[in-house]
């Protein structure tokens, strides 16, 4: 019916949107069936489809740091279990050293077999941020972990569903039998089941495509979609210039990147040599996270409406020295690498390319909980200004794309009050184009609870570009019920008492150009 030797432009557009539509359908199922606020309300999840070799084909517009790294998880499964994968199996993985980001982000991977169940023709996967996966603090985002074990429970291509049978006893055993066990295994299991359901929707929709168009056509257009993305990135690279940038984090660790453009073959080398070595803190970013940040930046330079997929990476050679903070070795702690260091990588790349001033550069990860409750949120701030645009106030930027929980939901489900949530005036950097403003979020506690903040840019301001001023640094502090005030560092664990208010002031984005 259709040619498999070269794409028809109209049909390329149709198939590109069909693949994305399937990922979106998966996301709707996951949101509707999940139990946790994290997935259901905050939308901290991602869904995607992959070809038979585990390369990303298309995704819904979910969380960039998930989407750019999930392919590594799928390919790890293929390398590890290819001889034993059967139809009806679903696997669970969150291993940061096998394509994972950090332990709360747990990926469910389902192989899609052909009609005769002889060979795997695709994979589908969904990644959801668990409200708690164990570890030394409720919410599994410990500010001061030094090993990955302290951050929670690690699944490495664990067989979650065996030929259609959910292995609840086995998964519950892993969740409970750990040095720092999961605090709410029932919620974990409910969310895992939602991910299985989301994947099953993807399986069904892909099989419908094969039935309608034929396997050869569906697979051919998967490659055409990837090739189209590659060509789009090559066109974007052609107009770029060489650049370099060094960006310091609050801890003193530095991200160093050099971008070398080859205009003749429209390719780029992204070299992170010179970046700080592996850290004793948890700001190490797994290699898959670093690759995801690079993939995100170069995808955003493309004007065309293309899915983020493996084709975007083909023109890019990424050099990440082993043992540095962007390619750590086991058992390095990594929980902040995914959420904080990833943001620094993105801003450093934009700085090297001279494209956009720094965003707030942090996700302002706030967790609180006890044995009964566990909650996690990321908090918006200012985005950076660019060549011909102002930054945006109060927005999640770059590697995060989640929502904040509605106050009504938060106050119904947890013993806290959102006392206020407002813009932080004049926190964006000045310039010809002004950086976006951060926010001020005040959460009052009604019961004793442990609270944690994991953030950055409380010491180092988000940079401006081309003469634009830096954005204001953020601030974390506690207003105690007795009127005293405790100032906190970028990372902190504190005990909250009834009436205490945790205050988070998020950074503004950098300005661009002289006024």
């Amino acid at each position: 019916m259709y040619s498999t030797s070269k794409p028809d432009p109209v049909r390329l557009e149709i198939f590109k949107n069909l693949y994305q539509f399937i990922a979106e359908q998966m996301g709707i199922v996951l949101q509707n069936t999940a139990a946790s606020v994290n997935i259901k309300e905050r939308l901290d999840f991602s869904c995607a489809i992959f070809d038979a070799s585990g390369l990303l084909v298309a995704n819904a517009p979910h969380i960039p740091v998930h989407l750019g790294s999930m392919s590594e998880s799928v390919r790890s499964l293929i390398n590890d279990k290819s001889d034993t994968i059967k139809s009806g199996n679903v696997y669970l993985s969150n291993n940061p050293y096998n394509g994972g980001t950090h332990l709360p982000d747990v990926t469910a991977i389902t192989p899609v077999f052909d009609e005769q169940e002889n060979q795997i023709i695709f994979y589908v996967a969904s990644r959801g941020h668990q409200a708690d996966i164990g570890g030394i603090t409720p919410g599994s985002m410990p500010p001061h972990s030094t090993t990955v074990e302290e951050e929670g429970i690690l699944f490495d291509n664990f067989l979650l569903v065996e030929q259609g049978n959910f292995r609840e006893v086995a998964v519950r055993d892993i969740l409970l039998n750990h040095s720092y066990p999961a605090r709410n295994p029932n919620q974990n299991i409910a969310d895992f089941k939602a991910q299985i359901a989301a994947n099953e929707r993807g399986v069904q929709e892909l099989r419908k495509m094969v039935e309608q168009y034929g396997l050869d056509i569906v697979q051919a257009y998967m490659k055409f979609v990837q090739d189209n993305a590659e060509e789009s990135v090559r066109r974007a690279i052609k107009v770029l210039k060489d650049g370099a940038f060094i960006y310091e984090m609050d801890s003193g660790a530095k991200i160093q990147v050099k971008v070398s453009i080859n205009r003749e073959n429209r390719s780029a080398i992204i070299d992170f040599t010179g970046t700080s070595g592996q850290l004793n803190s948890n700001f190490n970013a797994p290699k898959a996270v670093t690759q995801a940040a690079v993939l995100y930046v170069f995808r955003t330079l493309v004007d065309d409406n293309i899915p983020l997929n493996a084709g975007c990476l083909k023109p890019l050679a990424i050099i990440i020295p082993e043992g540095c903070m962007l390619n750590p070795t086991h058992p390095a702690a990594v929980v902040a690498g995914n959420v904080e260091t990833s943001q620094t990588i993105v801003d450093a790349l934009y700085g090297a390319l001279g494209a956009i001033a720094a965003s707030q550069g942090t996700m302002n990860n706030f967790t609180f909980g006890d044995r009964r409750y566990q909650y996690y949120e990321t908090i918006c701030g200012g985005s950076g200004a660019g060549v011909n645009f102002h930054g945006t106030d109060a927005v999640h930027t770059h590697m995060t794309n989640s929502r904040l929980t509605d106050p009504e939901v938060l106050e119904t489900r947890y013993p806290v009050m959102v006392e206020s949530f407002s813009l932080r005036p004049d926190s964006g950097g000045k310039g010809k184009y002004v950086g976006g403003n951060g926010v001020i979020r005040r959460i009052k506690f009604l019961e004793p609870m442990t609270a944690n903040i994991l953030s950055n840019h409380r010491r180092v301001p988000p940079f401006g570009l081309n003469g634009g001023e830096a954005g204001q640094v953020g601030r974390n502090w506690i207003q105690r019920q007795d009127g005293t005030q405790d100032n906190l560092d970028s990372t902190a664990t504190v005990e909250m008492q009834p009436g205490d208010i945790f205050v988070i002031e998020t950074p503004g984005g950098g300005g661009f150009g002289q006024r």
Side-chain angles (χ1 to χ4, degrees), residues 421-436:
F421 183 40
S422 59
L423 285 177
R424 189 180 177 207
D426 300 318
S427 52
K430 301 293 187 288
K432 182 178 180 183
Y433 296 99
V434 181

Side-chain angles (χ1 to χ4, degrees), residues 214-260:
L215 179 58
D216 288 351
I217 297 299
V218 174
Q219 289 184 324
Y221 272 84
M222 280 187 170
K223 185 176 186 312
F224 294 152
V225 166
Q226 291 169 333
D227 291 346
N228 182 57
E230 176 188 350
E231 177 59 26
S232 297
V233 171
R234 289 195 189 277
R235 282 199 301 270
I237 286 172
K238 194 174 181 181
V239 300
L240 299 178
K241 296 178 181 176
D242 293 353
F245 205 83
I246 298 174
Y247 202 12
E248 185 177 337
M249 303 183 75
D250 284 356
S251 65
K254 292 179 181 176
I255 307 294
Q256 183 167 329
V257 64
K258 180 182 178 184
V259 180
S260 303

Side-chain angles (χ1 to χ4, degrees), residues 31 36-45 63 129 363 365 375-379 396 400-406:
Q31 182 185 1
S36 68
V37 166
N38 252 16
I39 294 176
K40 199 170 196 67
E41 274 85 26
R42 285 191 52 249
L43 310 185
D44 197 341
F45 65 82
I63 311 292
H129 187 115
M363 298 192 197
N365 306 272
Y375 177 71
Y376 167 61
E377 68 180 19
T378 58
I379 304 170
H396 280 86
T400 179
N401 191 29
S402 55
R403 287 202 312 211
L404 263 172
T405 307
D406 291 338

Side-chain angles (χ1 to χ4, degrees), residues 377-392:
E377 68 180 19
T378 58
I379 304 170
C380 53
S383 73
V387 176
N388 56 4
F389 58 87
H390 297 294
T392 302

Side-chain angles (χ1 to χ4, degrees), residues 22-81:
I22 291 172
E24 288 168 7
Q25 289 297 302
M26 291 170 66
I28 290 168
V29 171
L30 181 51
Q31 182 185 1
N32 288 343
T33 56
S36 68
V37 166
N38 252 16
I39 294 176
K40 199 170 196 67
E41 274 85 26
R42 285 191 52 249
L43 310 185
D44 197 341
F45 65 82
S46 296
C47 300
I49 63 174
F50 305 82
D51 63 21
S53 60
L55 294 174
L56 179 64
V57 174
N59 52 267
H62 292 149
I63 311 292
V65 77
H66 292 176
L67 296 165
S69 56
M70 282 169 76
S71 179
E72 294 291 325
S73 295
V74 178
R75 284 186 285 173
S76 165
L77 172 66
I78 294 169
N79 293 334
D80 190 28
K81 304 283 186 183

Side-chain angles (χ1 to χ4, degrees), residues 125-411:
S126 55
R127 178 172 286 179
H129 187 115
Q130 300 292 309
D132 185 277
I133 199 73
I136 57 177
T137 60
S140 307
M141 296 287 292
H144 301 125
S145 55
T146 56
T147 66
V148 73
E149 186 184 38
E150 292 178 333
E151 297 174 348
I153 294 151
L154 190 150
F155 292 96
D156 194 7
N157 298 324
F158 170 77
L159 184 59
L160 181 65
V161 178
E162 185 172 18
Q163 292 183 274
N165 297 310
F166 182 68
R167 301 178 67 227
E168 182 166 343
V169 173
V171 72
R172 192 177 289 273
D173 185 58
I174 290 177
L175 289 167
L176 292 174
N177 291 302
H178 187 269
S179 304
Y180 310 101
R183 294 166 178 83
N184 191 348
N186 290 337
Q187 183 171 260
N188 295 130
I189 287 170
D191 282 348
F192 293 161
K193 287 180 175 178
Q195 288 177 259
I196 293 166
N199 286 7
E200 184 56 30
R201 171 57 65 85
V203 172
Q204 291 170 3
E205 294 296 331
L206 280 168
R207 284 183 173 152
K208 281 183 194 173
M209 276 187 80
V210 170
E211 189 178 334
Q212 182 172 355
Y213 297 103
L215 179 58
D216 288 351
I217 297 299
V218 174
Q219 289 184 324
Y221 272 84
M222 280 187 170
K223 185 176 186 312
F224 294 152
V225 166
Q226 291 169 333
D227 291 346
N228 182 57
E230 176 188 350
E231 177 59 26
S232 297
V233 171
R234 289 195 189 277
R235 282 199 301 270
I237 286 172
K238 194 174 181 181
V239 300
L240 299 178
K241 296 178 181 176
D242 293 353
F245 205 83
I246 298 174
Y247 202 12
E248 185 177 337
M249 303 183 75
D250 284 356
S251 65
K254 292 179 181 176
I255 307 294
Q256 183 167 329
V257 64
K258 180 182 178 184
V259 180
S260 303
I261 303 298
N262 184 329
R263 292 193 176 179
E264 192 175 327
N265 63 14
R266 301 179 302 160
S267 66
I269 299 171
I270 298 93
D271 188 354
F272 290 98
T273 300
T275 292
S276 295
Q278 186 167 310
L279 306 170
N280 292 325
S281 71
N282 55 26
F283 280 74
N284 300 293
K287 186 179 180 182
V289 168
T290 305
Q291 291 174 333
V294 174
L295 177 59
Y296 165 80
V297 167
F298 279 84
R299 167 60 187 89
T300 61
L301 298 175
V302 174
D303 284 336
D304 304 339
N305 180 23
I306 60 167
L308 182 103
N309 65 36
C312 299
L313 276 176
K314 281 191 178 178
L316 310 175
I318 307 172
I319 301 170
I320 318 168
E322 187 174 354
C324 79
M325 65 179 288
L326 304 185
N327 187 7
T329 57
H330 185 272
V334 297
V335 72
N338 173 50
V339 289
E340 295 299 297
T341 308
S342 65
Q343 299 280 64
T344 308
I345 298 166
V346 168
D347 280 330
L349 279 165
Y350 282 134
L353 295 169
I356 310 174
S359 73
Q360 66 160 340
T362 174
M363 298 192 197
N364 307 293
N365 306 272
F366 182 52
T367 52
F368 60 78
D370 54 21
R371 297 301 304 176
R372 185 179 175 193
Y373 301 101
Q374 303 87 38
Y375 177 71
Y376 167 61
E377 68 180 19
T378 58
I379 304 170
C380 53
S383 73
V387 176
N388 56 4
F389 58 87
H390 297 294
T392 302
D393 300 338
V395 66
H396 280 86
T397 52
H398 300 324
M399 300 308 283
T400 179
N401 191 29
S402 55
R403 287 202 312 211
L404 263 172
T405 307
D406 291 338
E408 296 83 1
V409 173
L410 183 60
E411 294 176 356

